Amino acid sequence: MFNAQNVKEVDLYSECGGAPDNNLGIIPDGSMVTLRRGRAARRVKVNQDAASECIYNMFGLSKPLARIFRLQNKARYTLTYNTATKTLTIRRKPVTFYTLKVTSDPKLSRNRVVIGNGLGLSGALGITLASGDLLALSNGLRKARLRLRKISRDFELTGVFRLNPAIIQQLNLVAGKTYSVSYNQLTGTLSFHGITIPKARKRKLVIRRAGKRSCRFC
């Protein structure tokens, strides 16, 4: 939350390099818009703040204004801007989809899961749980509830996802494989949706003068 008591302005970080594309960058800095969620509506000034090294866009507002729209700190929302009516509509978006690579760590306790923090995996998925909290993991009918440990000592570690080999087997996962996953902020559940298949490299054809073809990268 930003702007401690200001109910007339909001801050928008809409140009994060790693975030999904949206149309919020077209709102000029300093524009007056109608902020709306359900029946709640209010005219506010939009401050477009610089953002680049981030993986999700951010929306900041004061606590009094957040109470008017029943918004929760660190919760995920979808903002849609209507250029004709200059209306910025807010909707809850509790489920975030992403990918992660499962890493096996025999030294890790069976009741623990290690996830990269900061601009890494936990941020991309919207996992706002603190280290020590319980995180539910689900792969079909296979389930586990583990103590979360977030790490962010080195930038290279922010994307890690580590489990004990016994838990990997219990969840019917494969170490070293990359999975499509989703995280639900309402239930605190990280769900696996299958192994992601790497895109096949395109075959590059080289035409020789003699009229014969050879295939590179076949």
Side-chain angles (χ1 to χ4, degrees):
M1 300 293 181
F2 304 88
N3 295 332
Q5 298 297 322
N6 192 340
V7 296
K8 297 182 179 180
E9 299 182 25
V10 297
D11 297 335
L12 187 61
Y13 299 79
S14 61
E15 298 296 336
C16 288
D21 293 335
N22 59 64
N23 70 336
L24 302 181
I26 66 175
I27 305 175
D29 181 38
S31 297
M32 295 299 298
V33 305
T34 299
L35 192 63
R36 183 182 300 278
R37 187 187 185 204
R39 296 182 178 180
R42 197 178 191 96
R43 290 279 291 175
V44 297
K45 176 184 175 183
V46 175
N47 299 314
Q48 284 277 15
D49 289 316
S52 58
E53 299 299 323
C54 42
I55 55 179
Y56 51 90
N57 298 313
M58 293 173 284
F59 181 60
L61 68 168
S62 66
K63 289 184 179 179
L65 196 55
R67 284 195 292 268
I68 292 174
F69 291 97
R70 295 177 287 109
L71 304 180
Q72 299 179 26
N73 192 27
K74 296 184 180 180
R76 292 274 168 107
Y77 297 89
T78 297
L79 275 65
T80 306
Y81 184 61
N82 187 312
T83 57
T85 62
K86 294 185 177 180
T87 300
L88 189 59
T89 303
I90 306 171
R91 295 182 178 86
R92 186 69 195 267
K93 184 181 182 295
V95 180
T96 301
F97 290 87
Y98 205 60
T99 60
L100 62 81
K101 183 178 180 179
V102 174
T103 301
S104 176
D105 185 354
K107 297 181 180 180
L108 187 64
S109 172
R110 292 190 180 190
N111 67 343
R112 294 258 177 198
V113 53
V114 175
I115 297 181
N117 196 16
L119 293 177
L121 190 58
S122 65
L125 283 166
I127 300 176
T128 58
L129 299 173
S131 289
D133 289 344
L134 286 172
L135 174 67
L137 303 182
S138 174
N139 184 25
L141 297 177
R142 307 287 186 97
K143 301 181 185 299
R145 286 176 63 82
L146 309 175
R147 292 288 175 186
L148 174 63
R149 179 188 168 203
K150 292 183 175 181
I151 57 171
S152 57
R153 294 189 301 272
D154 302 308
F155 181 78
E156 292 78 9
L157 298 178
T158 58
V160 303
F161 183 86
R162 296 176 183 166
L163 293 171
N164 182 281
I167 299 300
I168 293 176
Q169 183 178 13
Q170 176 183 328
L171 291 171
N172 197 28
L173 301 175
V174 180
K177 296 295 184 180
T178 299
Y179 288 82
S180 297
V181 296
S182 65
Y183 179 69
N184 189 318
Q185 285 193 328
L186 300 181
T187 64
T189 301
L190 178 63
S191 301
F192 291 80
H193 304 291
I195 296 174
T196 60
I197 301 175
K199 294 182 179 179
R201 289 189 296 181
K202 294 182 179 180
R203 295 182 176 183
K204 184 175 180 180
L205 296 178
V206 178
I207 308 299
R208 294 179 176 175
R209 290 184 180 179
K212 296 182 179 180
R213 292 191 305 181
S214 65
C215 176
R216 297 176 60 191
F217 312 122
C218 291

